[in-house]
Every structure is written in structure tokens, then in C-alpha cells.
Amino acid sequence: MSIHLDQRTISPKTGSLGTRFLIYPQVPHLAGYEKPETIWISTPPNEIQAGPADQRMYVVDPLFEKPVYEYPYQPPFVGERFPPAEAGPDGHFDHLDPGSRQFVCAHVFASLRRVLDIWESYLGHDIVWHFAQTYERLEIIPQVNWNNAQSGYGYMEFGTERGNSEDVFPYALNFDVIAHEFGHAIIFAEMGTPNGMASREYFGYHESVSDLIALISLLHFDSVLDRLLQSTQGNLLTMNELNRIAELAGDKQIRTASKPENEHGQ
Ligand SMILES: [Zn+2]
């Protein structure tokens, strides 16, 4: 399989190079990934508003604790909110302080927008949200008080990982988690939603395909490929940042995509 590795995206609609953001290809507490990297999304600077927001998605950061969405509690979020992430004077978003709330907003927006670009380029057409009849755009809640993340009807929202220490790690800074949640939205958009009760196999299918969408999305970072090949010497069966999906604090992760050699009893 050949992989298109160019980090920049030229928008087929505008011919523009798009807008710069900084994101962490893997969680910043993973060795080698402490510094965010520049990525480009296809939306040009003059089409991005504070939030960030564009024609496909927007971020709102609630000021007060917001319960997670659960039917009939649905978007849009209309309460008080923290100040949005704003572009720098050049129209790009790569100036934000990584310690700020606004950085988290820009990070989750750019990660989702980049993954949308990647999968629209594979599919060769626009991904039409499965909720398009109700909502024009995806609402992104970057931080809720919840140890999970979810992709729902018109929204995605991200909680935090609480490790053993006092530290909390926002899932909105975890590219694997973000790309995985986006995976659910792609499956709904391309294959529709189930009629009536879904089977356990259907949920299993959703989770595994979403993991693969996250894994393939991660391969679009040149830096990740370089580090991966260096650290594994090409043996991808060893535990590594590609098959460890959604690394958490310490040496934990949510899932592994391959069965490591040491579990074969060798
Ligand atoms: Zn999932």
C-alpha cells in the first residue's frame, strides 16, 4: 500500500495551502512526542473563525461543568463558554501556548479536521455527516468531566484520562482517541446507522474499524514513521506507538492492534 505522506493539504476547492496548527501526533507524555508539530488543514485562514470553527465543525468550551450529551440532551451547547482559540495576526493557529485551554480547543479541532481531509482524500468525495438533516456542522466539546470520549449525533466530546497521579490528561490531546472517535463518524456517514437494535458484532466492528482509521491516520505523520522504523528496526510486531492505540500514562494504552511476540509464548 502506498501512503501519501505530504503533511500539507492543498484544498481542491480553493487551491490554498490551508491553515497551520500545532498538534501532538501522540500523547505528549509519550517519550519522543513532547513537542507539538506543525500540520496543515485544508480550510484557508479566511474561512476559519475563532473557536476554532469552519464550515464543517466548531469548538465550544463550556465555562461550567457540562453533563455529557445523552438523548434527549443534545447539541447545540448554548451556555457560557471560555474564550475561544483565535488565529494569530497571520491567520494561522500555531502561536497558541500549549499550556492554555485555547491550545486544547485548537488541537482537537485541527486533529479532527486533518483526519477529515485524509479520509475525504481516500474516499474521493466529501464525507456527509450522518446527522446532516439536523445539524449543519459537528459540535466539538474539548473538555468534559468524564473518563471517556464519545462520537454522537451532531457532536463529539472528550473527557480526561485520570492516571494514578494528580495529573489529568485531556483526551483532546490524544490523537489516537480523536481519530478513533472520528472513525465512528466516518462509518455512520458512509454506511448509515443501524435500524433498530444493533448487535454486539456491529459494535465490535465499529470499534475495530475506528481503531484502524486511527492507525492509518497516524501513518500520515512523517515524524511518526521515522521514529517507528527507527525504534522497531522494521519489526512492527514489537509494542510500538502504531499498534498501541491511544497510549495512556505509563506504559498503558486502550487497545493494541497486534498480538505482540512476547504473548505468543516465544
Ligand atoms: Zn469507539
Side-chain angles (χ1 to χ4, degrees):
M1 184 178 80
S2 71
I3 297 166
H4 176 66
L5 295 175
D6 190 348
Q7 299 278 317
R8 295 175 303 175
T9 307
I10 297 175
S11 165
K13 290 165 200 147
T14 63
S16 151
L17 262 186
T19 305
R20 280 193 315 272
F21 284 81
L22 288 177
I23 72 171
Y24 296 106
Q26 292 282 267
V27 279
H29 47 78
L30 194 67
Y33 292 97
E34 299 85 354
K35 279 194 174 166
E37 299 180 11
T38 301
I39 62 151
W40 294 76
I41 65 162
S42 63
T43 313
N46 62 356
E47 290 179 19
I48 300 193
Q49 299 87 43
D54 71 2
Q55 287 187 324
R56 303 300 307 274
M57 55 184 76
Y58 63 95
V59 176
V60 282
D61 191 8
L63 184 59
F64 303 109
E65 204 168 290
K66 170 195 158 305
V68 295
Y69 283 132
E70 193 175 358
Y71 188 80
Y73 176 42
Q74 297 281 279
F77 178 78
V78 291
E80 296 289 308
R81 53 196 72 185
F82 281 100
E86 297 196 42
D90 57 1
H92 297 272
F93 284 76
D94 54 355
H95 64 296
L96 296 166
D97 172 4
S100 65
R101 282 192 85 90
Q102 286 72 27
F103 180 87
V104 177
C105 296
H107 185 280
V108 66
F109 174 85
S111 303
L112 285 169
R113 202 61 188 71
R114 174 75 181 126
V115 176
L116 177 64
D117 282 338
I118 290 168
W119 287 90
E120 285 191 338
S121 78
Y122 279 135
L123 291 166
H125 60 79
D126 287 353
I127 292 172
V128 179
W129 301 126
H130 68 286
F131 48 79
Q133 286 190 333
T134 313
Y135 301 111
E136 214 169 282
R137 300 186 294 169
L138 173 74
E139 181 175 288
I140 306 162
I141 306 287
Q143 299 196 58
V144 286
N145 185 14
W146 190 37
N147 189 19
N148 209 338
Q150 65 172 343
S151 179
Y153 192 78
Y155 66 87
M156 284 185 204
E157 53 188 351
F158 298 85
T160 49
E161 181 209 346
R162 292 173 206 123
N164 296 329
S165 64
E166 293 288 291
D167 298 332
V168 291
F169 303 104
Y171 284 130
L173 294 180
N174 190 321
F175 182 82
D176 289 350
V177 169
I178 299 167
H180 172 98
E181 293 307 323
F182 191 83
H184 288 303
I186 297 178
I187 302 167
F188 285 136
E190 295 300 311
M191 303 184 68
T193 48
N195 293 325
M197 284 285 284
S199 64
R200 290 173 57 178
E201 287 77 12
Y202 176 81
F203 286 113
Y205 168 82
H206 244 276
E207 293 307 322
S208 57
V209 172
S210 298
D211 276 353
L212 290 173
I213 284 171
L215 185 151
I216 292 168
S217 302
L218 180 62
L219 289 173
H220 284 257
F221 290 93
D222 289 353
S223 60
V224 172
L225 285 181
D226 287 346
R227 268 179 225 142
L228 185 65
L229 291 175
Q230 241 166 28
S231 65
T232 63
Q233 308 274 308
N235 179 4
L236 297 181
L237 284 175
T238 56
M239 290 295 276
N240 60 63
E241 54 265 60
L242 186 63
N243 58 23
R244 293 178 59 206
I245 308 269
E247 287 86 341
L248 306 174
D251 59 358
K252 291 181 294 174
Q253 61 278 318
I254 291 181
R255 276 188 286 278
T256 54
S258 62
K259 197 166 170 59
E261 266 183 309
N262 59 12
E263 286 185 15
H264 289 287
Q266 294 168 350

